[in-house]
Amino acid sequence: MALKVKLAIPTGKHPLRTMALRIALAGIAVVGLVVLCVGGFYYFKYQGIVNARLKQPLFAETAKIYAAASEIRPGQKLSVQLIANELREAGYTADGASQTSQLGTFSASADDITVRPGPQSYHAPDPATVHIKSGVVDSITDDHGQALASYELEPLLITGLSEDANRTKRRLITYDEIPPNLVNAVVAIEDRRFFDHGGVDYIRLLGALRNDLTPGHRFVEGGSTLTMQLAKNFFLTPERRIKRKVIEIIITFQLEHRFSKKQIFEMYANEINLGQRGSFSIDGFGEASQAYFGKDMRQLDLSECALLAGIIQSPNRLSPFRHAERAMERRNLVLDSMVETGAITKEQAERAKAEPLHIVPASVDASEAPYFVDLVRDQLVQKLGDRDYNREGLRIYTSLDPDLQGLATIAVDSTVHTIDQLVDRRHARDRKLGKSYIYPQVALVAVNPHTGQVLALVGGRSYGASQLNHAVAHRPTGSIFKPFVYATAFQAAVEGTLLPGQDKPFSPLTMLSDQQTTYNVGDQEYTPRNYQGEYHDQVTAQYALMRSLNNATIGLAAMVGFDRVAALARDAGIKSARGTPAVAIGSYDATPLEMAGAYTVFANNGLHIEPWMLASIRTSTGDIVTDFTPTSNQVLDPRAAFLSTAMMENVLRGQGTGAGVRNMGFYAPAAGKTGTSHDAWFAGFTTNLLCIVWVGNDDYTDIKLEGAQAAAPIWAEFMKKAVALPQYSDAHDFTPPDGVQVVSLDKATNLLSDTSCPDSYDAAFLMGTAPTETCDHPADHRNLLQKIFGLGKSN
């Protein structure tokens, strides 16, 4: 029998009340119908928007920039743990891990570690075992037990190649890679019922709406769940309106219907903004782990997980870079919340609260080499054209040495304030008069002189403040150009050509006039000055370069031929050089990067190698797209290159303009040259590392500082730390090629020195051109006490 239900409507005594009730019910039905229709309209409208958005990758794939592979050699100070940590950072997994990395695996014992590159590795799949003894690499063997001279590890990821207008940095992660403590921390502080509700926490939402709409309520309260935050950030603008909140809820329901809670949390973990680093936005926990702690997210401890979860509320206000105390208070609140949810014990929370903030320095330059990466991006555009290398997820392997890049950044950061103090002193009068002035910019380029590999590059004082890359800015080279004048003269000597007015081949002892001279250039006269107006009569070529004398150097260039000097410079990469008197003292411009390439001529036996940054481009699975080989050309005879280098060694000694670097703690065998024009330069190199430093004003005004004052301190700070690294610690004396002899000369007479000569120095000569006579100082037969008190005669 059918069950009939009849709605009882009171009748009889109260017709008006009955009529009002009917109207009310009808109104409710109409409102419900309208809500249903409007809700349905927006649901299907935004379902289409969501569908369109989800047809695309949630996060655009980015090309990944990798550093150069680090090389392990017997004799290096290393441990199994350090090698294992680098392999993990590169993406390798240890044997027995739940998931095997396609990049490679490794197995380790107390004294050995075996490395097995995978199918997606940069290297060929040739395994090797590194044997450690007493903290030093004892030997390296292949899988057949054969000894290897060296072995390269997997290149480390520097950064993703950001292409959006907001300069976002993001490292995509999966849910399984997220530490449980990080999941629990985020849920405890942001959305405790995340794994239970259907996307909306109604009680919390109503409370937040009430407080937001209450006049005079001081704080804006968030009622959004993690899914609602995801809906807002992916699909909506951040405006605070009721309509937007309703749309947010509609999209939330769709996301909850389509994805599991783990998938939603994974999207949230990759999308959430966690602050700013330099000019880049830090998005996602993967990027934040590197930005704040310098480590892979999987290595985060409880304290670090709580800090990241705490930053979510207000990344700028709670930035540990700028507001460490606020960040610590928020971290501790997260830990207390985790205790309340039962995720951790109170004892665990207290131990984590006792931890300091282990934040890496807030310099984007050190770890990500932004100026370097910008140049890599430019070269990719030149070489790949309009190809969408970001969407393809290409792997870009470069020349960068992360250790050296970090030292370069630190050298600039730690030294630039002393330059600013010098500038303040130079402008003391301007300050008293209230006149403004600017502080100089900086560039540092370090290359391997034998391969042209750009190992480190800093393009300015602060990338966050200015992205103008001074490493590729054209500036007059000043006196760091002068060695090319002397190299041209040595090349003439090697070829058997005598210079005008000379009866012997050019050598360090060739006498040059340092009197002020006027030259006719077209219909104009050119009268160069020496620094501070000091002039000499006749000086040796060695002294002229050591003291950076302008007129003596221009006089030598006139003897060799201005055109020939300019031709050598152009062959070495200084393309603007022209055959005029001014070329000899660096009046034509070049970039610091070009000067680094030019100086490879001296450090590499006359062979010029074009500096390079791109090594290889691979697909996302490791297949080779293209490899790059550096270009080189022989521009000097090895003998001329060494003779020039030997003269530059003396620039760093005694009265040389670069001798100050020895007082700054740099003691390795090296050669170099200071440069002063409107800018300050220092160029120097060891047998395995070449570095150029430039300091100057963006408005091209005179910095009024010498290269020895402004550029040399940065160079010395960088190089003394660099030569302490294992890969650069084997710097040694420069080796003369065949046809060159190195002799010891007496400083007073420039003749061969013997035991009777009180003060001597080493000088290099083309075979057969060195002095043959010995200094004639009388022997001093006095004892020590007589010498101290000036007693007796010294004959």
Short mmCIF file of all heavy atoms in Angstrom, two decimals, residues 771-791:
data_model
loop_
_atom_site.label_atom_id
_atom_site.label_comp_id
_atom_site.label_asym_id
_atom_site.label_seq_id
_atom_site.Cartn_x
_atom_site.Cartn_y
_atom_site.Cartn_z
N PRO A 771 122.49 38.17 -19.02
CA PRO A 771 123.84 38.70 -18.72
C PRO A 771 124.83 37.57 -18.49
O PRO A 771 124.46 36.48 -18.03
CB PRO A 771 123.61 39.51 -17.44
CG PRO A 771 122.14 39.81 -17.41
CD PRO A 771 121.48 38.64 -18.06
N THR A 772 126.06 37.84 -18.79
CA THR A 772 127.11 36.83 -18.59
C THR A 772 128.09 37.24 -17.50
O THR A 772 128.85 36.42 -17.02
CB THR A 772 127.87 36.61 -19.90
OG1 THR A 772 128.39 37.86 -20.36
CG2 THR A 772 126.95 36.00 -20.96
N GLU A 773 128.06 38.51 -17.11
CA GLU A 773 128.97 38.99 -16.08
C GLU A 773 128.32 38.87 -14.70
O GLU A 773 127.09 38.91 -14.57
CB GLU A 773 129.37 40.44 -16.35
CG GLU A 773 130.10 40.64 -17.66
CD GLU A 773 130.48 42.09 -17.89
OE1 GLU A 773 130.32 42.89 -16.93
OE2 GLU A 773 130.91 42.42 -19.00
N THR A 774 129.15 38.76 -13.70
CA THR A 774 128.69 38.61 -12.33
C THR A 774 128.86 39.92 -11.58
O THR A 774 129.80 40.69 -11.85
CB THR A 774 129.47 37.49 -11.62
OG1 THR A 774 129.34 36.30 -12.37
CG2 THR A 774 128.96 37.25 -10.21
N CYS A 775 127.97 40.17 -10.64
CA CYS A 775 128.05 41.40 -9.87
C CYS A 775 129.39 41.48 -9.14
O CYS A 775 129.98 40.45 -8.79
CB CYS A 775 126.90 41.48 -8.87
SG CYS A 775 126.98 40.27 -7.54
N ASP A 776 129.87 42.71 -8.91
CA ASP A 776 131.20 42.88 -8.35
C ASP A 776 131.18 43.45 -6.95
O ASP A 776 132.05 44.24 -6.57
CB ASP A 776 132.05 43.77 -9.27
CG ASP A 776 131.35 45.10 -9.54
OD1 ASP A 776 130.22 45.30 -9.04
OD2 ASP A 776 131.94 45.95 -10.24
N HIS A 777 130.16 43.09 -6.15
CA HIS A 777 130.13 43.56 -4.77
C HIS A 777 131.27 42.93 -3.99
O HIS A 777 131.50 41.71 -4.10
CB HIS A 777 128.81 43.19 -4.09
CG HIS A 777 127.64 43.91 -4.68
ND1 HIS A 777 127.40 45.24 -4.46
CD2 HIS A 777 126.64 43.47 -5.49
CE1 HIS A 777 126.30 45.60 -5.10
NE2 HIS A 777 125.82 44.55 -5.73
N PRO A 778 131.99 43.69 -3.21
CA PRO A 778 133.06 43.09 -2.39
C PRO A 778 132.46 42.20 -1.33
O PRO A 778 131.38 42.44 -0.82
CB PRO A 778 133.75 44.31 -1.77
CG PRO A 778 132.72 45.39 -1.78
CD PRO A 778 131.91 45.15 -3.03
N ALA A 779 133.18 41.12 -1.01
CA ALA A 779 132.70 40.18 0.00
C ALA A 779 132.73 40.83 1.38
O ALA A 779 133.63 41.62 1.69
CB ALA A 779 133.55 38.92 -0.01
N ASP A 780 131.80 40.52 2.22
CA ASP A 780 131.71 41.04 3.58
C ASP A 780 132.12 39.93 4.54
O ASP A 780 131.38 38.96 4.72
CB ASP A 780 130.29 41.51 3.88
CG ASP A 780 130.21 42.30 5.19
OD1 ASP A 780 131.19 42.26 5.96
OD2 ASP A 780 129.15 42.94 5.42
N HIS A 781 133.32 40.07 5.13
CA HIS A 781 133.84 39.02 6.00
C HIS A 781 133.59 39.30 7.48
O HIS A 781 134.14 38.60 8.34
CB HIS A 781 135.35 38.84 5.75
CG HIS A 781 135.67 38.44 4.36
ND1 HIS A 781 135.31 37.23 3.80
CD2 HIS A 781 136.30 39.13 3.36
CE1 HIS A 781 135.73 37.15 2.55
NE2 HIS A 781 136.31 38.30 2.24
N ARG A 782 132.80 40.32 7.80
CA ARG A 782 132.54 40.63 9.20
C ARG A 782 131.65 39.55 9.83
O ARG A 782 130.82 38.93 9.15
CB ARG A 782 131.87 41.99 9.33
CG ARG A 782 132.75 43.16 8.93
CD ARG A 782 131.99 44.47 9.01
NE ARG A 782 130.84 44.48 8.10
CZ ARG A 782 129.87 45.41 8.13
NH1 ARG A 782 129.92 46.37 9.03
NH2 ARG A 782 128.89 45.37 7.27
N ASN A 783 131.79 39.40 11.17
CA ASN A 783 130.90 38.48 11.86
C ASN A 783 129.57 39.16 12.15
O ASN A 783 129.39 40.35 11.88
CB ASN A 783 131.56 37.95 13.15
CG ASN A 783 131.87 39.07 14.16
OD1 ASN A 783 131.12 40.03 14.29
ND2 ASN A 783 133.01 38.93 14.84
N LEU A 784 128.62 38.40 12.75
CA LEU A 784 127.26 38.90 12.95
C LEU A 784 127.23 40.13 13.84
O LEU A 784 126.54 41.11 13.54
CB LEU A 784 126.38 37.79 13.55
CG LEU A 784 124.93 38.17 13.83
CD1 LEU A 784 124.23 38.55 12.52
CD2 LEU A 784 124.19 37.01 14.49
N LEU A 785 127.99 40.14 14.95
CA LEU A 785 127.97 41.28 15.87
C LEU A 785 128.53 42.54 15.19
O LEU A 785 128.01 43.65 15.38
CB LEU A 785 128.78 40.96 17.12
CG LEU A 785 128.15 39.95 18.08
CD1 LEU A 785 129.10 39.65 19.24
CD2 LEU A 785 126.82 40.47 18.61
N GLN A 786 129.57 42.36 14.36
CA GLN A 786 130.12 43.51 13.65
C GLN A 786 129.11 44.11 12.68
O GLN A 786 129.00 45.33 12.55
CB GLN A 786 131.39 43.09 12.90
CG GLN A 786 132.59 42.84 13.81
CD GLN A 786 133.78 42.32 13.03
OE1 GLN A 786 133.62 41.47 12.16
NE2 GLN A 786 134.98 42.85 13.31
N LYS A 787 128.35 43.22 12.01
CA LYS A 787 127.34 43.72 11.07
C LYS A 787 126.22 44.46 11.79
O LYS A 787 125.74 45.50 11.35
CB LYS A 787 126.75 42.56 10.25
CG LYS A 787 127.74 41.92 9.30
CD LYS A 787 127.10 40.75 8.56
CE LYS A 787 128.08 40.08 7.61
NZ LYS A 787 127.46 38.92 6.92
N ILE A 788 125.81 43.90 12.97
CA ILE A 788 124.71 44.51 13.72
C ILE A 788 125.09 45.90 14.21
O ILE A 788 124.32 46.87 14.11
CB ILE A 788 124.30 43.61 14.91
CG1 ILE A 788 123.66 42.32 14.37
CG2 ILE A 788 123.35 44.35 15.83
CD1 ILE A 788 123.33 41.33 15.46
N PHE A 789 126.35 46.04 14.74
CA PHE A 789 126.75 47.31 15.35
C PHE A 789 127.59 48.19 14.41
O PHE A 789 128.11 49.23 14.80
CB PHE A 789 127.54 47.03 16.63
CG PHE A 789 126.70 46.42 17.72
CD1 PHE A 789 126.81 45.06 18.01
CD2 PHE A 789 125.78 47.19 18.41
CE1 PHE A 789 126.03 44.49 19.00
CE2 PHE A 789 125.00 46.62 19.41
CZ PHE A 789 125.10 45.26 19.71
N GLY A 790 127.71 47.71 13.13
CA GLY A 790 128.42 48.54 12.16
C GLY A 790 129.89 48.66 12.40
O GLY A 790 130.50 49.69 12.12
N LEU A 791 130.51 47.63 12.95
CA LEU A 791 131.92 47.64 13.28
C LEU A 791 132.75 47.03 12.15
O LEU A 791 132.27 46.15 11.43
CB LEU A 791 132.17 46.88 14.58
CG LEU A 791 131.40 47.38 15.81
CD1 LEU A 791 131.66 46.46 16.99
CD2 LEU A 791 131.80 48.81 16.15
#
